[in-house]
Amino acid sequence: MNVNVNGRQLFFCSCFDISFVIPVLILFCSCHKLQESLLSSASGYSNYRGILNWCVVMLILSNARLFLENLIKYGILVDPIQVISLFLKDPYSWPALCLIICNLLPGTFGERLGTFLHLINLSTILCLPVATVLFVSSMTPVGAVFALAVYTILFLKLYSYKDVNRWCRDIRQARARTLARSLSCPTVQRFNGSAVQTQVSYPGNLTHRDMYYFIFAPTLCYELNFPRSPRIRKRFLLRRLFEMVSITWRSVPDTVIFQWMVPTIQNSMKPFQDMDFSRMIERLLKLAVPNHLIWLIFFYWFFHSSMNFVAELMQFGDREFYRDWWNSETVTYFWANWNIPVHKWCLRHFYKPMLKRGVSKRVAQAAVFLVSAFFHEYLVSVPLKMFRLWAFMGMMVQVPLAWFVGQFLRGNYGNAAVWISLIIGQPIAVLMYVHDYYVLHVQGPSAG
């Protein structure tokens, strides 16, 4: 009997007992080979799903005690009826909704006044909500944030719409007006029994239907022909709808905010007034976890569930709303990948045009952060009706932070620095705004 063991031919007589053959085979079979440990980077191993589950379990267990301690100390503070009553207390408490509805009214203008009226329109889009929020007393901060966010999105969309059509007009003029006017909306033709969608060319796209599709589409960058999905997947649509409703209906953010964050913020006022830095740092670290949890819930609810729901409903084909920002090793990579629609808009309509005008890359990047800082402050200070520039300064600090992390921290150290900036940076701004709001609206009137 011939047996091949690790390239060796072993001969056994058929008369040998099997109890003798098996130990010999075990002796000659090698149980070792050249290989790396799984946790070594050279092993190429990448399946860490179990470790991820372990992190989730540890996160739940570590925060269960804090939740129980909070419940014992403060009781149940969540009151959904009170939250709903903020919006239903009187018919005049809906100026934010009126602003949004008035914003969608159609209108057309002549070509001659187009550029001038477009600038006035963009300025009005930014200034009108501000005036409404500041002078209408019934406007709540939540409604103001929602209205300002809608107007900001519309501002970015109309700016992109203007730019793309201007580029098309320049190309059309360069070709001596040789492009023929196409149909305003793509029609479906039949070719050998299969559906073929025609492409829209300028100026065939200048219709209300085309503009309203772009306004409601989950993107900020306009195109004449968006990639379209072939059909609406009902199961996918229902899953996204279930995620949206379940997160909202179960009031997970409300529970974390009212049950965890509000007591922490209230207990932070005295250390701020006494300038007790040790207690301030302790309050900051205690606020970091629930604040970061709210941010992660909002990210999943908005960028994955909501935007995929809208995209599926409108058969919008480009679903890249975010990339792997959680693996960011630099601050620049994070800001370029956690919010893809805004990143594409900044890259297409702000960063690249500045480079074409001869501006250096560093100055162009700083300018992008400057614009982002403006809109962050715009969405925070106006609803709170106070201007403290904490959000603006927080965004501008990202410029030197991005340089430092990119120059001195690499790999896991850079990724840890990005996570620390996310977890710690936001609570600092929250405490600053809450403290100033408390001094201005609570302590000020009581002192007077």
Side-chain angles (χ1 to χ4, degrees), residues 295 324-339 343 365 368-369 372 394-411 413-422:
W295 184 79
D324 60 334
W325 57 266
W326 46 86
N327 293 326
S328 302
E329 297 180 2
T330 62
V331 177
T332 305
Y333 185 88
F334 167 78
W335 287 109
N337 290 275
W338 93 278
N339 190 341
H343 171 68
Q365 290 177 353
V368 171
F369 276 105
S372 179
M395 281 301 301
M396 294 310 298
V397 168
Q398 300 296 314
V399 177
L401 179 64
W403 176 84
F404 177 82
V405 174
Q407 290 291 327
F408 301 102
L409 300 177
R410 299 288 181 180
Y413 296 102
N415 182 254
V418 173
W419 277 113
I420 291 174
S421 67
L422 292 176

Side-chain angles (χ1 to χ4, degrees), residues 78 80 242-256:
V78 182
F242 174 77
E243 292 173 354
M244 294 167 56
V245 174
S246 62
I247 292 176
T248 306
W249 182 257
R250 292 177 182 177
S251 299
V252 175
D254 290 343
T255 303
V256 175

Side-chain angles (χ1 to χ4, degrees), residues 203-219:
N205 62 303
L206 301 179
T207 63
H208 286 107
R209 181 176 179 180
D210 181 87
M211 172 175 275
Y212 278 116
Y213 179 86
F214 170 57
I215 288 177
F216 289 101
T219 181

Side-chain angles (χ1 to χ4, degrees), residues 129-311:
V130 175
T132 305
V133 171
L134 295 180
F135 293 104
V136 176
S137 59
S138 61
M139 176 76 78
T140 62
V142 177
V145 170
F146 181 68
L148 290 174
V150 170
Y151 270 77
T152 301
I153 293 173
L154 185 70
F155 172 87
L156 299 176
K157 283 176 175 283
L158 291 183
Y159 191 95
S160 177
Y161 187 81
K162 180 266 301 180
D163 262 6
V164 173
N165 282 286
R166 179 173 57 83
W167 297 337
C168 293
R169 189 161 50 251
D170 294 340
I171 295 174
R172 189 167 182 263
Q173 292 175 355
R175 294 179 180 178
R177 304 179 184 275
T178 58
L179 292 177
R181 183 179 180 87
S182 66
L183 295 175
S184 59
C185 296
T187 58
V188 178
Q189 299 178 351
R190 293 285 175 177
F191 181 74
N192 293 334
S194 61
V196 178
Q197 182 174 324
T198 60
Q199 297 292 309
V200 173
S201 60
Y202 182 86
N205 62 303
L206 301 179
T207 63
H208 286 107
R209 181 176 179 180
D210 181 87
M211 172 175 275
Y212 278 116
Y213 179 86
F214 170 57
I215 288 177
F216 289 101
T219 181
L220 299 176
C221 294
Y222 176 71
E223 289 184 5
L224 273 68
N225 298 280
F226 289 107
R228 305 292 295 274
S229 56
R231 62 183 180 87
I232 298 178
R233 298 170 294 178
K234 295 181 180 179
R235 291 185 179 180
F236 181 87
L237 192 70
L238 292 176
R239 282 199 299 268
R240 301 289 81 81
L241 179 62
F242 174 77
E243 292 173 354
M244 294 167 56
V245 174
S246 62
I247 292 176
T248 306
W249 182 257
R250 292 177 182 177
S251 299
V252 175
D254 290 343
T255 303
V256 175
I257 291 174
F258 291 105
Q259 195 70 39
W260 197 346
M261 293 182 65
V262 171
T264 303
I265 293 174
Q266 291 175 346
N267 295 333
S268 302
M269 295 301 101
K270 191 175 186 304
F272 268 87
Q273 294 174 355
D274 299 338
M275 297 303 292
D276 187 351
F277 290 101
S278 60
R279 295 291 295 175
M280 289 167 58
I281 295 175
E282 187 270 336
R283 294 289 114 180
L284 174 65
L285 295 177
K286 190 173 183 179
L287 182 63
V289 174
N291 178 83
H292 189 64
L293 183 61
I294 286 291
W295 184 79
L296 291 176
I297 293 174
F298 169 78
F299 169 81
Y300 188 87
W301 179 85
F302 183 77
F303 286 98
H304 185 73
S305 301
S306 301
M307 296 191 74
N308 269 291
F309 176 81
V310 176

Side-chain angles (χ1 to χ4, degrees), residues 374-389:
F374 166 78
F375 280 108
H376 276 77
E377 190 65 37
Y378 177 81
L379 293 173
V380 176
S381 291
V382 175
L384 295 178
K385 299 181 181 180
M386 63 179 190
F387 303 93
R388 295 297 187 269
L389 300 179

